[in-house]
Amino acid sequence: MLVIKIGGAAGVNFASICADVAELVQQGQKVVLVHGGSAEVNEISTQLGHPPRFVTSESGFTSRYTNRETLEIFAMVTAGKINTLLVEQLQQKGVNAFGLTGLDGRWMVAHRKEAIRVVENGRKRVLRDDYTGKIEQVNPAILSLLLGMGLTPVVAPLAISPAGEALNVDADRAAAMVAGALGAQSLILLTNVAGLMRKFPDESTLIHHLPRVEVQRAIEYAEGRMKKKVLGAAEALQGGVSRVIFADGRSDHPLLDALNGKGTIIE
C-alpha cells in the first residue's frame, strides 16, 4: 500500500506523477492519492475578488483562513476542478481512478476550529467563522472497498464535521491520517522543492535520511508550509507507517525517483 500526497504548489508536475502512478498500478501496486490545490485556489479566489488570507498560529504553523465564502471557493477548485482533472489524466493513462472527498460517506471526520488564535503583526488575535478542521477519525472501509474493486482513490482535502459541515483540512495531515488508517508501508509527499533542507532554500543542505526519532526536532528548521509536512510525517509514523518520503514533484519521474531514494527519507 502506497499513499501519495500531491502538493498544490506551483511547478508540481501532475502529468509526470500520473504517468508514474500508472506504471506502479500496472505492476500491481495499490495506490491512494491525496492532493492539495493551494496555488490554484489562490489564483481563482483572487480572480473572483476574494484574495486568499493566510494566518500564522501561536505555535508557528501557517494555514488558510477559511470563512464560508473561502470554503465554497476551496471546494469548487479542489473537489470540482483539480480532483476531476487528476482523475481524467489517470483515466487517460489506463488507471481506473475514483475521485472523492472526506464528506462522501462521512469517512473522514474533523473537529471544526470555530475560533483560532493567530499572530498578526506581532499581535495575538482570535478569528471566528472559520471552516478549517483537524481530522479526528478516518474510516478506511470505503477506500479499502474501492481498492478491492481495482479502483485508485483520488482524495480532495475536505472532511466533514460531526454536525455535517464541510471543512477545509490540511492535505499533508489528511494524507498522513489516511496512510495510518490503511496501514500503508510508505507515504510520499510530493512538493515543489527537493526535500527537507536544514537551511532552506539551499539545496546543498538537503537531508537525505532522517531517523524517525529525530522527526519532531526537524520542525524547528522546517520553513513555512514545510512545517505542516513534517508534522504530517510525524503523525504518519506514529500511526504505523513504515517510512515517509519528502520528494521533488517537479521532475520527470517524481514517484519513481522517490522510491529509488531521492529526496528526504524518514524511517
Side-chain angles (χ1 to χ4, degrees):
M1 179 70 66
L2 184 63
V3 174
I4 301 157
K5 190 270 178 168
I6 305 175
V12 173
N13 192 337
F14 279 32
S16 294
I17 293 168
C18 288
D20 283 356
V21 170
E23 185 169 337
L24 292 172
V25 169
Q26 288 165 8
Q27 294 172 4
Q29 175 74 56
K30 289 187 176 181
V31 175
V32 174
L33 292 171
V34 180
H35 66 83
S38 55
E40 195 140 12
V41 172
N42 293 348
E43 181 180 345
I44 292 178
S45 61
T46 300
Q47 291 173 357
L48 293 173
H50 189 76
R53 179 182 177 185
F54 291 92
V55 295
T56 302
S57 69
E58 292 177 317
S59 54
F61 293 97
T62 301
S63 61
R64 184 186 304 274
Y65 174 57
T66 309
N67 60 15
R68 185 68 198 187
E69 185 177 358
T70 303
L71 173 73
E72 292 179 7
I73 295 171
F74 183 84
M76 177 181 72
V77 178
T78 56
K81 181 181 180 182
I82 297 173
N83 191 274
T84 299
L85 295 184
L86 268 174
V87 170
E88 178 191 38
Q89 286 194 54
L90 288 165
Q91 291 285 358
Q92 289 173 352
K93 291 175 170 57
V95 177
N96 200 2
F98 189 103
L100 72 165
T101 75
L103 282 81
D104 303 300
R106 301 183 68 96
W107 69 270
M108 190 156 59
V109 180
H111 171 72
R112 181 183 172 193
K113 306 171 187 176
E114 295 184 26
I116 55 173
R117 296 182 181 275
V118 302
V119 179
E120 289 186 319
N121 300 318
R123 299 181 62 182
K124 295 181 180 180
R125 298 187 57 193
V126 176
L127 298 178
R128 303 186 187 279
D129 191 34
D130 189 59
Y131 284 83
T132 59
K134 180 181 179 182
I135 299 170
E136 294 185 329
Q137 179 185 344
V138 172
N139 181 353
I142 288 178
L143 297 183
S144 296
L145 179 64
L146 294 173
L147 290 163
M149 294 170 64
L151 300 170
T152 296
V154 181
V155 180
L158 289 156
I160 191 167
S161 75
E165 302 159 309
L167 298 175
N168 165 14
V169 292
D170 182 78
D172 295 301
R173 299 180 75 180
M177 295 290 284
V178 167
L182 286 170
Q185 180 184 14
S186 299
L187 167 64
I188 300 178
L189 303 171
L190 296 171
T191 184
N192 64 343
V193 296
L196 181 62
M197 290 162 254
R198 292 189 184 277
K199 295 181 180 179
F200 179 83
D202 184 356
E203 293 193 3
S204 70
T205 67
L206 177 69
I207 302 168
H208 295 282
H209 184 266
L210 187 70
R212 63 173 57 214
V213 294
E214 296 182 18
V215 67
Q216 290 287 357
R217 197 173 68 185
I219 294 177
E220 298 173 8
Y221 46 79
E223 297 284 341
R225 298 286 297 171
M226 187 60 79
K227 285 183 178 291
K228 284 278 183 75
K229 298 182 189 302
V230 175
L231 185 59
E235 291 171 343
L237 294 167
Q238 290 166 6
V241 177
S242 299
R243 66 174 178 172
V244 178
I245 304 173
F246 295 143
D248 195 336
R250 301 167 298 179
S251 71
D252 291 336
H253 292 286
L255 273 179
L256 301 183
D257 287 347
L259 292 171
N260 287 325
K262 287 191 177 181
T264 300
I265 299 173
I266 307 172
E267 58 186 352

